[in-house]
Amino acid sequence: MPFPRSGRALQSLSAAAMSALLLASAMKHFRDPLFFRQVVPDYLCLEGRDDGSEPDRRRPFAVMTREEWIALSGLLELAAAAGILVPPARKATATALAAMFTVFLAGHVDALRRAYTPVGTPGQRTVHTLRLPLQAPLILWAWSLRKPASSPVGREPGAWA
């Protein structure tokens, strides 16, 4: 006999797994921010000059330091880890997550580009070559959580059992 709410149970399990992944990543943002440093594009970062003077404000998209971007993305992942578990908020959270993972592609592409310059190391090349393609399944997974759980076969949503 099939479980009467197997579609919902599977979606809830998928949302819980996504939440656990996001929570682990958010914690890593604060415990090991250096891990994320290379995936924040330079053009987003206010960085001080080598002489310690004011940050260079010539970068048009630079509104925060690299460390602030890392902390903000960790906070966003933490909020998403909670939001994805709440069924009424799941569609909005999943949509925002898919958008966030898509935006993160820019950082991964930039990190991969820099890894293959003369200053890049073989380790960076390996890490960023593997890290970039992982974004596609994350985007698709988040997008899949936008769909409402399917009803059991033979019953319409809202019908009496």
Side-chain angles (χ1 to χ4, degrees):
M1 179 166 100
F3 293 107
R5 301 201 186 277
S6 61
R8 283 192 200 136
L10 186 59
Q11 186 187 44
S12 292
L13 181 62
S14 182
M18 174 67 82
S19 178
L21 179 74
L22 289 164
L23 184 58
S25 179
M27 289 174 19
K28 188 157 181 74
H29 276 76
F30 298 104
R31 287 186 179 160
D32 184 15
L34 291 176
F35 181 77
F36 299 95
R37 191 168 175 77
Q38 293 178 345
V39 293
V40 180
D42 291 337
Y43 56 82
L44 291 178
C45 301
L46 288 175
E47 300 294 338
R49 296 183 183 150
D50 292 337
D51 62 4
S53 62
E54 281 294 308
D56 183 2
R57 301 205 186 270
R58 291 176 290 179
R59 297 175 181 164
F61 299 110
V63 293
M64 293 189 287
T65 66
R66 192 173 307 274
E67 290 73 22
E68 290 168 337
W69 280 114
I70 293 168
L72 176 63
S73 62
L75 289 172
L76 290 174
E77 288 181 355
L78 188 61
I84 203 77
L85 293 176
V86 181
R90 186 169 295 151
K91 184 174 182 177
T93 303
T95 302
L97 267 174
M100 183 179 77
F101 289 141
T102 302
V103 168
F104 285 175
L105 279 171
H108 289 287
V109 168
D110 190 59
L112 184 62
R113 179 193 59 78
R114 283 184 280 129
Y116 281 91
T117 64
V119 296
T121 66
Q124 290 170 339
R125 291 181 190 112
T126 301
V127 165
H128 296 300
T129 298
L130 295 173
R131 222 171 164 180
L132 177 63
L134 290 175
Q135 289 303 111
L138 288 173
I139 294 166
L140 294 173
W141 185 11
W143 193 255
S144 76
L145 290 171
R146 296 178 70 254
K147 300 174 192 161
S150 59
S151 299
V153 177
R155 292 197 349 210
E156 292 295 318
W160 292 97

